Amino acid sequence: MGGLYSEYLNSSKVWEHYNYTKETLDTQETPSRQVASAFIIILCCAIVVENLLVLIAVARNSKFHSAMYLFLGNLAASDLLAGVAFVANTLLSGPVTLGLTPVQWFAREGSAFITLSASVFSLLAIAIERHVAIAKVKLYGSDKSCRMLLLIGASWLISLVLGGLPILGWNCLGHLEACSTVLPLYAKQYVLCVVTIFSVILSAIVALYVRIYCVVRSSHADVAGPQTLALLKTVTIVLGVFIVCWLPAFSILLLDYACPVHSCPVLYKAHYFFAFATLNSLLNPVIYTWRSRDLRREVLRPLQCWRPAAGVAGRRDGTPGHRLLPLRSSSSLERGTHMPTSPTFLEGNTVV
């Protein structure tokens, strides 16, 4: 084991593994690759900005300090960090890869796996919360905040452990025949294990939503209200977009496990599938703000600071288009108190 860790700073190891698994080595930057890298970095910057606006909106408005919004905020945090990880991955790819040490390579790829794990566990937490709030008709109050934060913290801890297993020793250093083609320093068994775990979790999430829809369709009006259905559609869209974006990448990783080295040329194009998967982190904030009018108003508020005069004039003359609606406190949400403008994610007396 000591010999294994001593190779973590050997800069020739990455070259050795890429030379064994890859068809050709990227030894110099090409114009097309530079353009693609610039596009991906711009895309990732948009991901960071979008999710940062969602996090700011959730953090500064007490109306969004309920279970559903906290879990959506956690998903936004994982998407934001995914954008940062993708930027680092892009900058350290290509010819730069061959100059990395194994520990640097593990940090580059591990950060992406950690954020992916956090997204999957966030989706699981949202599904569990929906099941508890709807199928069990359970109220969420301030006394549950600690439990929710513990659940969020546990999901990140598990993600760190899962993404950190290769750097802790579950890798293929010294065992070239066991290496992944897509991720040349990762053991095929580790890649298969991670994809299997994610697939099982996503299948469980789908099963939970099927059960929730069955309960809603067969329940009385206060559970199967229009706002309940609207929220279910929102989280179902989020789940569906995640599956559509990541299914090709998961399929490539499963094919990677099954194919011997140099036998599946499509594996050398895996970066296209992972680039497509990054769209998930870009689309999630769009889904939140598109489906929730209250959240959309709060997210767009910082972007409207350049025209404060129009906002002031609107408030003075009472124009509905510029009038700021009163915001409710979390305590009024917890009591289920009626307010003139109910939030999009409020279901009768069940605070989400």
Side-chain angles (χ1 to χ4, degrees), residues 100-114:
L100 298 177
T101 62
V103 70
Q104 292 171 332
W105 191 94
F106 287 137
R108 187 190 76 176
E109 300 299 336
S111 61
F113 269 72
I114 289 170

Side-chain angles (χ1 to χ4, degrees), residues 24 26 32 47 52 55 72 93 100 102 104 109 116 123 145 170 183 189 211 231 257 269 297 315 341:
T24 59
D26 295 327
S32 60
I47 291 173
L52 183 60
L55 285 173
L72 286 179
S93 295
L100 298 177
Q104 292 171 332
E109 300 299 336
L116 172 60
L123 291 173
S145 298
W170 194 358
L183 301 164
Q189 290 78 6
R211 170 171 165 74
L231 178 56
Y257 176 80
K269 306 296 182 182
R297 182 187 299 116
R315 290 193 294 272
T341 55

Side-chain angles (χ1 to χ4, degrees), residues 33 36-48 51 75-94 107-119 183 242 245-246 249-250 270-284:
R33 186 179 183 88
S37 298
F39 175 77
I40 293 175
I41 290 175
I42 293 173
L43 182 69
C44 291
C45 290
I47 291 173
V48 172
N51 287 283
L75 183 57
S78 64
D79 286 333
L80 186 152
L81 293 177
V84 175
F86 293 149
V87 169
N89 198 299
T90 302
L91 293 176
L92 296 175
S93 295
R108 187 190 76 176
E109 300 299 336
S111 61
F113 269 72
I114 289 170
T115 55
L116 172 60
S117 301
S119 296
L183 301 164
F242 181 91
C245 290
W246 279 99
F250 287 173
H271 54 281
Y272 292 114
F273 296 88
F274 289 104
F276 179 75
T278 62
L279 292 177
N280 175 68
S281 298
L282 181 71
L283 293 175
N284 278 342

Side-chain angles (χ1 to χ4, degrees), residues 59-70:
R60 74 178 184 179
N61 194 331
S62 60
K63 182 173 68 174
F64 301 134
H65 293 176
S66 57
M68 191 69 245
Y69 285 107
L70 287 178

Side-chain angles (χ1 to χ4, degrees), residues 33-345:
R33 186 179 183 88
Q34 290 175 345
V35 172
S37 298
F39 175 77
I40 293 175
I41 290 175
I42 293 173
L43 182 69
C44 291
C45 290
I47 291 173
V48 172
V49 171
E50 282 184 347
N51 287 283
L52 183 60
L53 288 174
V54 172
L55 285 173
I56 292 174
V58 172
R60 74 178 184 179
N61 194 331
S62 60
K63 182 173 68 174
F64 301 134
H65 293 176
S66 57
M68 191 69 245
Y69 285 107
L70 287 178
F71 288 129
L72 286 179
N74 185 52
L75 183 57
S78 64
D79 286 333
L80 186 152
L81 293 177
V84 175
F86 293 149
V87 169
N89 198 299
T90 302
L91 293 176
L92 296 175
S93 295
V96 180
T97 300
L98 300 179
L100 298 177
T101 62
V103 70
Q104 292 171 332
W105 191 94
F106 287 137
R108 187 190 76 176
E109 300 299 336
S111 61
F113 269 72
I114 289 170
T115 55
L116 172 60
S117 301
S119 296
V120 173
F121 286 113
S122 295
L123 291 173
L124 178 61
I126 291 173
I128 294 174
E129 188 277 337
R130 287 292 80 216
H131 185 268
V132 171
I134 296 175
K136 303 298 183 182
V137 196
K138 186 178 180 66
L139 290 174
Y140 280 88
S142 58
D143 59 328
K144 301 297 189 297
S145 298
C146 182
R147 188 177 303 173
M148 288 186 297
L149 292 177
L150 286 176
L151 179 59
I152 292 173
S155 68
W156 279 100
L157 179 60
I158 296 174
S159 300
L160 286 170
V161 172
L162 193 60
L165 285 176
I167 201 171
L168 295 177
W170 194 358
N171 54 61
C172 63
L173 288 177
H175 304 280
L176 290 175
E177 68 284 354
C179 290
S180 161
T181 300
V182 176
L183 301 164
L185 270 68
Y186 279 175
K188 286 188 174 184
Q189 290 78 6
Y190 168 75
V191 175
L192 176 65
C193 176
V194 171
V195 174
T196 301
I197 291 174
F198 291 163
S199 300
V200 170
I201 292 176
L202 291 173
S203 299
I205 293 172
V206 171
L208 278 175
Y209 281 126
V210 170
R211 170 171 165 74
I212 291 171
Y213 270 105
C214 292
V215 171
V216 168
R217 291 299 183 183
S218 62
S219 296
H220 40 83
D222 62 336
V223 174
Q227 291 174 348
T228 301
L229 295 177
L231 178 56
L232 279 178
K233 289 179 181 178
T234 299
V235 294
T236 303
I237 291 172
V238 171
L239 174 63
V241 169
F242 181 91
I243 293 176
V244 168
C245 290
W246 279 99
L247 183 59
F250 287 173
S251 301
I252 280 292
L253 292 177
L254 289 176
L255 183 64
D256 183 18
Y257 176 80
C259 287
V261 64
H262 299 307
S263 61
C264 296
V266 68
L267 296 179
Y268 302 127
K269 306 296 182 182
H271 54 281
Y272 292 114
F273 296 88
F274 289 104
F276 179 75
T278 62
L279 292 177
N280 175 68
S281 298
L282 181 71
L283 293 175
N284 278 342
V286 176
I287 297 171
Y288 309 151
T289 54
W290 166 50
R291 298 288 301 178
S292 173
R293 181 177 57 186
D294 296 324
L295 184 59
R296 180 169 62 249
R297 182 187 299 116
E298 192 67 27
V299 167
L300 295 179
R301 182 174 295 180
L303 303 180
Q304 297 171 344
C305 293
W306 60 274
R307 52 173 188 173
V312 173
R315 290 193 294 272
R316 287 177 179 173
D317 61 18
T319 303
H322 297 282
R323 180 169 54 88
L324 295 178
L325 297 177
L327 300 178
R328 288 183 293 175
S329 65
S330 58
S331 58
S332 64
L333 285 175
E334 291 158 8
R335 293 193 300 269
T337 307
H338 173 73
M339 296 295 287
T341 55
S342 59
T344 305
F345 294 166

Side-chain angles (χ1 to χ4, degrees), residues 3-21 25 97-106 171-176 179 183-186:
L4 172 65
Y5 289 116
S6 66
E7 295 179 343
Y8 277 26
L9 300 178
N10 187 346
S11 58
S12 65
K13 278 296 176 180
V14 173
W15 184 92
E16 177 185 351
H17 282 249
Y18 272 74
N19 187 53
Y20 177 80
T21 58
L25 297 179
T97 300
L98 300 179
L100 298 177
T101 62
V103 70
Q104 292 171 332
W105 191 94
F106 287 137
N171 54 61
C172 63
L173 288 177
H175 304 280
L176 290 175
C179 290
L183 301 164
L185 270 68
Y186 279 175

